[in-house]
Each structure stands twice: as structure tokens, then as C-alpha cells.
Amino acid sequence: MSEVWQVFIKTDCGLRAQCQICKKTYANSGTNTTNLWNHLQSKHKSKFKELDDQRKGFSGSPSPSSLLVNIDECDDEGSFSSTATTIPCSVNSTSSKMKNEKKMNQLPITSYTLTATAQARIDNVLAYFISTDMMPYSIVSKDGFKMYTNALNASYKIPSRKTMTESRIPYLYKVTKENVETIAKNTLFMSFTTDCWTSVANQPFMALTGHYIDNDFNLGCICLGCIELIEDHTGDNIADALIMLFLEYNIEIPSNKICSFTTDHGSNVLKAVKNLNITHTPCFGHAFNIAVGRIFLLQQVNVIVVKVKKIQNIFAHSWQAVKHLKTEQERFGLKCIKIPSYSKTRWWSLLDLIKVVITQELALSSFLRTYKKGEYKKCIIDVEEFEVLKCIEMVLSPVREIADNLAGETYVTASAIYPVINNIKNKINEVSTNENTAELKTEMYNTISDLLDNRYNDNNALKITMVLDPRFKMKYINDTDQISVKYAMKTECLSAWLVWNEMHNGKEDGTDNLSMDNYSSPSKKVKQSGLLAIFGEPNVPNNRSLNQEDDTTPHKIEKEIEFYTGLPTISFCQNPLKWWNLNSSMYPFLTILARKFLTIQATSVASERVFSKGGLIVTDHRATLTNDHASQLVFLSANKAHVPIPV
């Protein structure tokens, strides 16, 4: 607090400041103290010097003049007299008097009125809180929130809901969208995911996420929008909606900057991607869901799965059954855990249920025999059925781990698709014929393998992505396909090189890790300086005079591909993006290609995550939220990393 308040106090509810020496008052509704200091300097010079020394941080013994209190007398009309009396006093008495006056007359700081700037700053913080943490607009009208805010700062006036919806949140949305536009504009290559969703208000939305590799070789993600789909969900209408989103960010369609589109296998979405003329990558998660669904429909599996669902249904509708099971678990010394719920759209929830049924075998069998006088005896699982359940767990547990790993968006995922398919095929050969469930295991692995082969048959983009991952390279490509893959890499590398050269031509800002010297075209003349300009390079013949073919960009790319693929792979625990960052100078052309293809997403889970946030925003209590407001809130929440922090 300013030292001037040792002499002045607030009056008239904090709207004016009164001098305690001469009782002169000044308008002062904010925090500006310039006029108060001017008053002391002109009317109370000794006091001004004392307080000014304190303000400047001077210490030491007080000056003689500071031991005097200057009293200026004024007449009834408010004009100051020409005479002044100085009364000597001790430092202790003066200090004690000022402290007492301060305690008696000065109001607490929380009662001071906020300036317009401070009010707007806190409003922006509130908007950030509501949008990024998915809070309802109505929080500004809640009594508890008002009480909490008043306790923090009684001078702060909470903005109305209308102010938040029509001013603060739209402004935050505008600034965030500009940040996302900047990222999209300055990004060399991007891959996308998209999906559709229907809210609890029965309103259809479509999300679009973009994935890119930044200058530090980190995999980034932005949400370009979560918009309402007004028209029917046909392939043409979805394609038009995607084009409108791309136009908002000045992204050309088709473009060599766009690598791939990862979506589910819906016919309308496939047609939309085809209309956009962009490479399509099937979502690995949806493929696994369909494959596992087919496994649960196998005759030998379906019988036992139906029985497990019936067991779960008992506990889902009776608290008495849960209590009775807990007693049985304690009697057998088992861990007291509840039977998990089951969702039709999440196959792994059924796998979790099967695992609990296996671990709680004794308690469940005893429960089914005794509960309600054996009413559910028919649900008891026999020994052979338990073998089937264990077989399901053995096959699907690794599958779930794979699916979870490929659902990430902060690390490279699509490069592992072909190695995973190859690993599943190897599992078929590893099944022992002596096992009781050998035939069932083989059938389950074949079900998954056949579906994946059908989805990912001869996908050149994924093959190139796998080769560009130094953990895999050509390991899972047979000798006959290696030639065609290398040729495809060469073609794509030339295309990516042209895009890179166009974007970085003439730039010397050092924003990119890749050296411009490594990508200079053969015809570019490099200015010589220093000793090189004086002595030149004797004994070093001109490359073009020796062999012009060796100096061409395609030939350089071929040599890089051969050299790169000829070296051993790296450990699976290493990060392929960091590896490319460290080796970019050794493979200048392939590094550009890696920046393009390693952005491909194995799944469309990124879009699903946008909808998860949408489900927390458009709830049953907020079903009347307009589509524009819902889109803004989902966009801000999904792009939380790019929302400007107001403080």
C-alpha cells in the first residue's frame, strides 16, 4: 500500500480521500494517488519528504526536519494562512499517533473499488475457468459461488450470465481460434481425424482434429472445430462440412500438406474422405471392436458370455445381492470387490467383468447356490465354461493393451499397426495343439487377423510410416514388397521436399531444426566467406563436372533410403521422433518425410475425446444450451493448451 495513506484516509464509502493534517478532501474512487502526493508536496513539505524517503526505501537516522510536524492552518473559507507553527515532537509519539489514526480511520483494502482494468482481468479469468473446466454458465448466479467470490474480494462484481455468453466467452473463443489458425498456418504437414456424435439434446455434431510435429519434434494436436451437422449425414454433406472447416483455416483441399485422414469404416465417412481425395487410414480401435464383437458371437463363446451377463444383471438391480456376495467373499478370504458394470459399446467392459468372475469363482458359486434359496443356480459356471473364460481373457487381455497403446495422440502410433497384425498371426502358430481350448484360441486369433487383413490390405501410407519408424523399418515387409515401398517413399519424399522448400524458401529465422544448407537445391549459389573466399577449394573438383546424376535430388533421396534401411533398428523403448531430431542432419530428405507420415493417427480416438468433453458440457441439466455456445465451449475445452492464460 502507498505510504501516502499514512496521512490520508478514505471517506464517503471509498469515493474520496481526506488529509488528516488539514482535513482537505479529494475525489479518489480508485487506486491513483498522484493528486494526494501533489497535495503533500505543496502544502506539507516536511511530511512529503519523510514519506517520499520511505517510498524510495531510504533508511538511517531521521533528519531534524522529520522530527517536526508542520501544521498549516486554514480559515473558514478554506484558504491557507501565511503563518505556520512548527511543534517539536519525538519520533515515537508521531509514529504512535499515526498508527492509531490508521487503525481508527482507514478502511480495509477489500473495500476499495476495483478499476475497470482489474474488473475485466478477473472477468477473463472467470471465462477461462468456465470454458476450460467445463463449468455451466449458471455458476455466476449460484449463491455459494457469489459468497465465495465476495469473501475473496468484496469489490468484485460478478458479471451476468448474458455478459459471459455474449462477450467474455466469445472473445476467448476468438483469441483461441486465432492461436489455432497460427499453428495450422505454420505447420508443415498435418494428419486429421474426424467422427460424428449426437448429444443428449439429440443434436448431431462433427469434430475435426489436426495432428502435427512441431519444431522440437513433439507430436501436437489441435481441435479445428466441433460443429453442428444440419444436413443429413451423407458422404457428400460430410465432405462439404469438412471443406467449410478447412476453409476457415485457409487449408487447401486437396493438398500435399495433408498426409492422411483417420476415421471409422462407416460408408458415409469413407465416401466423404474419397470426395476430398485424401489418403484414408481405417481406425484401429473400431476394427478391434468389430473383431472382438465377432469373437463374442462365436457359438462356444456366446453361451458363456450370456451367462456372465445374467450374473452381472443380478447385482446391478439388487443391493441385497451385493451385500450377500460381500459376505461370501469374506468367508472365502477373497478381496471384496463389486461386480463391474457392462456397456454394449465398450467391449473391454465385458473383459473386465469376465476377469472378476474368474477371480471370484468360489464366492460367486456359493452365492448362486444360496441366494434366494437357489433361484439362480442355473447361472453357476462349470469347469469347462471356466476354461473358456480363461481362454477369452488370455487372448483379449493383450489385445486390449495394444488397443489402449494405439489410442494415444502424443506419440507415434500408426507405425505399429502392421507389426501388431504380424504379431497376432504369429500367435496363431504358437497355439499348442495339446491345449483343451486350442481350437477356440486359433479361431479367435483368426477372427481378429482376418478382419485386420481386410481393413489394412496393401496400405502404402502405413507401410511408409512403419519404415520411417526406426524401431521397425523393413522388418515386417517381405523382400518382394520392399522395392515397391522404397519407390513409394522416393515419390512421397520428392513431393514432401517441394512442400518444405516452398514454405521455407528465403526464411532464415532459425525456427526449424532442419538446416537450410542440407536442403539447398543443387543450382543455389552459396556465397563464400573467410579463408574459403581467399583460397577457394583446390583439389576438390566440381561435383557436376564429375557426375551430374549423382547431384540430383532423386539420387540423393535414393542413397538416403538405402543407407537408412540398411542400418539396424533401435530399441522399442526409444522415441522415434527424438531419434529423427538427433539424426536430421544425416537424413535431411527422409527427416522431412518423417515429419509428414509420423503424424498419422492409428485411431480416431482424438475425435472421441472431443465428444467426451462435449458429453460433460451438454448434459441433461444443460440440454437447452444453444449449438453455437456448445461448439464454442467444446472448442475451448479441447484446445485448453492453446487458450491464452489471462493471468
Side-chain angles (χ1 to χ4, degrees):
M1 184 185 299
S2 176
E3 288 75 12
V4 77
W5 295 110
Q6 295 181 25
V7 179
F8 284 84
I9 63 170
K10 286 281 189 177
T11 61
D12 294 342
C13 299
L15 298 178
R16 300 186 68 82
Q18 183 181 51
C19 176
Q20 294 302 290
I21 298 176
C22 64
K23 306 304 180 181
K24 181 74 172 179
T25 63
Y26 293 90
N28 188 274
S29 60
T31 58
N32 194 314
T33 59
T34 303
N35 57 341
L36 308 185
W37 283 106
N38 292 337
H39 171 77
L40 290 179
Q41 188 176 16
S42 62
K43 303 301 180 183
H44 315 293
K45 290 183 173 59
S46 60
K47 196 64 182 176
F48 170 81
K49 187 177 186 305
E50 176 187 345
L51 297 181
D52 190 47
D53 288 343
Q54 293 181 19
R55 177 171 62 170
K56 295 177 179 178
F58 294 155
S59 60
S61 59
S63 61
S65 62
S66 66
L67 301 178
L68 301 176
V69 178
N70 184 27
I71 303 178
D72 295 322
E73 297 181 354
C74 58
D75 53 21
D76 295 337
E77 296 177 358
S79 61
F80 291 94
S81 64
S82 59
T83 60
T85 306
T86 58
I87 303 176
C89 64
S90 65
V91 176
N92 292 335
S93 62
T94 303
S95 176
S96 175
K97 181 180 178 181
M98 294 302 298
K99 287 182 179 179
N100 291 335
E101 289 179 351
K102 182 178 178 181
K103 290 180 180 179
M104 293 172 59
N105 300 319
Q106 189 165 336
L107 297 175
I109 192 171
T110 53
S111 65
Y112 298 161
T113 305
L114 288 173
T115 63
T117 302
Q119 174 79 27
R121 181 176 60 85
I122 301 177
D123 287 352
N124 291 334
V125 174
L126 179 59
Y128 181 90
F129 164 63
I130 290 176
S131 60
T132 59
D133 290 344
M134 295 171 285
M135 294 291 109
Y137 286 129
S138 59
I139 192 172
V140 297
S141 60
K142 300 292 185 182
D143 292 337
F145 183 75
K146 289 181 178 179
M147 188 182 300
Y148 172 74
T149 306
N150 185 70
L152 292 177
N153 193 328
S155 301
Y156 175 64
K157 182 180 179 181
I158 301 177
S160 65
R161 174 171 178 166
K162 184 177 181 181
T163 301
M164 298 305 298
T165 58
E166 297 183 3
S167 176
R168 299 301 182 188
I169 296 295
Y171 174 77
L172 194 62
Y173 171 78
K174 176 185 175 183
V175 176
T176 305
K177 191 170 182 180
E178 290 175 354
N179 292 341
V180 174
E181 287 177 356
T182 302
I183 294 174
K185 178 182 177 181
N186 297 330
T187 297
L188 190 61
F189 301 106
M190 293 188 76
S191 293
F192 298 93
T193 74
T194 189
D195 205 349
C196 298
W197 166 69
T198 302
S199 69
V200 295
N202 206 26
Q203 294 294 329
F205 290 87
M206 182 186 69
L208 179 65
T209 65
H211 305 266
Y212 61 95
I213 295 175
D214 62 18
N215 293 329
D216 296 322
F217 274 79
N218 296 314
L219 194 58
C221 175
I222 54 176
C223 174
L224 279 72
C226 181
I227 61 173
E228 181 188 8
L229 280 179
I230 303 176
E231 304 294 336
D232 293 339
H233 298 177
T234 63
D236 294 335
N237 290 337
I238 293 176
D240 291 340
L242 290 172
I243 290 174
M244 292 300 295
L245 267 177
F246 283 127
L247 289 176
E248 289 184 20
Y249 294 90
N250 297 317
I251 300 176
E252 297 181 2
I253 298 292
S255 172
N256 291 331
K257 294 179 62 175
I258 300 177
C259 184
S260 175
F261 235 111
T262 303
T263 71
D264 59 25
H265 217 64
S267 58
N268 55 347
V269 179
L270 291 178
K271 183 179 180 182
V273 176
K274 185 178 180 181
N275 290 351
L276 297 176
N277 196 22
I278 299 175
T279 302
H280 179 255
T281 300
C283 174
F284 201 74
H286 284 87
F288 256 137
N289 280 340
I290 295 175
V292 174
R294 292 179 181 178
I295 288 176
F296 288 146
L297 292 177
L298 296 176
Q299 184 175 2
Q300 191 175 355
V301 175
N302 187 53
V303 175
I304 181 61
V305 166
V306 170
K307 188 176 288 189
V308 169
K309 291 179 181 178
K310 288 182 179 179
I311 294 175
Q312 190 274 334
N313 196 52
I314 298 172
F315 301 98
H317 298 88
S318 173
W319 63 268
Q320 293 177 327
V322 174
K323 182 180 179 180
H324 192 103
L325 177 63
K326 184 178 180 180
T327 302
E328 296 295 336
Q329 290 170 334
E330 292 174 348
R331 187 162 72 91
F332 287 99
L334 298 174
K335 186 177 180 180
C336 295
I337 57 177
K338 294 183 178 180
I339 304 298
S341 59
Y342 160 69
S343 174
K344 294 180 180 180
T345 58
R346 294 172 175 82
W347 66 266
W348 54 88
S349 64
L350 182 55
L351 178 62
D352 292 337
L353 178 59
I354 290 174
K355 288 181 178 180
V356 172
V357 170
I358 293 174
T359 57
Q360 300 290 326
E361 175 184 358
L362 294 176
L364 281 173
S365 298
S366 178
F367 167 82
L368 294 172
R369 289 192 186 94
T370 58
Y371 184 63
K372 289 189 176 181
K373 299 180 181 180
E375 180 179 343
Y376 299 102
K377 278 186 178 180
K378 293 182 180 180
C379 295
I380 295 177
I381 302 174
D382 57 33
V383 178
E384 293 182 358
E385 290 173 334
F386 264 108
E387 289 296 323
V388 175
L389 289 179
K390 291 177 181 179
C391 176
I392 295 173
E393 181 191 11
M394 188 180 299
V395 172
L396 296 186
S397 290
V399 169
R400 179 185 180 182
E401 186 175 350
I402 292 170
D404 290 344
N405 182 264
L406 295 184
E409 59 189 57
T410 59
Y411 52 87
V412 178
T413 55
S415 61
I417 291 179
Y418 274 114
V420 166
I421 295 174
N422 184 78
N423 186 54
I424 292 175
K425 291 180 179 179
N426 291 336
K427 291 289 185 182
I428 300 174
N429 300 327
E430 294 174 2
V431 175
S432 175
T433 56
N434 297 326
E435 298 180 34
N436 295 331
T437 57
E439 184 177 348
L440 178 60
K441 276 186 181 179
T442 303
E443 190 173 5
M444 292 169 68
Y445 281 127
N446 281 327
T447 300
I448 299 174
S449 177
D450 291 344
L451 181 64
L452 295 181
D453 277 342
N454 182 53
R455 289 286 173 89
Y456 297 99
N457 183 33
D458 200 24
N459 191 314
N460 281 333
L462 290 179
K463 289 181 180 179
I464 294 174
T465 305
M466 179 182 63
V467 175
L468 290 172
D469 191 328
R471 299 171 298 179
F472 304 118
K473 293 188 177 181
M474 293 283 187
K475 186 176 180 181
Y476 299 98
I477 299 178
N478 56 47
D479 296 338
T480 56
D481 289 341
Q482 288 187 10
I483 297 176
S484 61
V485 171
K486 289 180 179 179
Y487 178 79
M489 288 179 64
K490 176 183 174 182
T491 304
E492 292 289 347
C493 199
L494 281 169
S495 175
W497 152 247
L498 293 175
V499 174
W500 191 96
N501 198 34
E502 180 182 355
M503 175 172 284
H504 293 79
N505 186 26
K507 287 188 179 181
E508 298 180 358
D509 55 359
T511 56
D512 200 282
N513 285 341
L514 305 178
S515 173
M516 286 295 296
D517 293 337
N518 293 332
Y519 296 92
S520 299
S521 58
S523 60
K524 183 179 179 180
K525 294 182 179 180
V526 180
K527 183 179 180 181
Q528 296 180 346
S529 60
L531 295 177
L532 182 62
I534 299 173
F535 298 102
E537 292 187 4
N539 303 324
V540 180
N542 191 322
N543 288 337
R544 281 192 174 276
S545 62
L546 288 177
N547 189 347
Q548 187 169 354
E549 182 184 358
D550 291 344
D551 198 33
T552 61
T553 300
H555 188 74
K556 290 179 180 179
I557 294 174
E558 286 182 10
K559 289 196 297 184
E560 275 193 20
I561 294 174
E562 292 298 332
F563 184 65
Y564 166 75
T565 56
L567 293 178
T569 57
I570 64 174
S571 170
F572 287 111
C573 63
Q574 289 187 254
N575 187 336
L577 292 178
K578 298 303 179 186
W579 186 91
W580 279 109
N581 190 22
L582 293 173
N583 294 275
S584 59
S585 59
M586 185 178 296
Y587 307 104
F589 291 101
L590 286 182
T591 300
I592 298 177
L593 195 64
R595 290 171 71 102
K596 179 178 181 179
F597 279 86
L598 293 184
T599 61
I600 299 179
Q601 297 294 293
T603 68
S604 59
V605 173
S607 295
E608 296 285 351
R609 291 193 177 101
V610 175
F611 297 145
S612 295
K613 297 181 184 296
L616 297 174
I617 293 173
V618 187
T619 62
D620 291 336
H621 295 286
R622 305 177 71 187
T624 58
L625 197 66
T626 65
N627 294 328
D628 288 341
H629 288 158
S631 296
Q632 289 180 2
L633 292 173
V634 174
F635 178 87
L636 290 170
S637 179
N639 288 303
K640 184 176 181 178
H642 309 296
V643 178
I645 300 176
V647 293

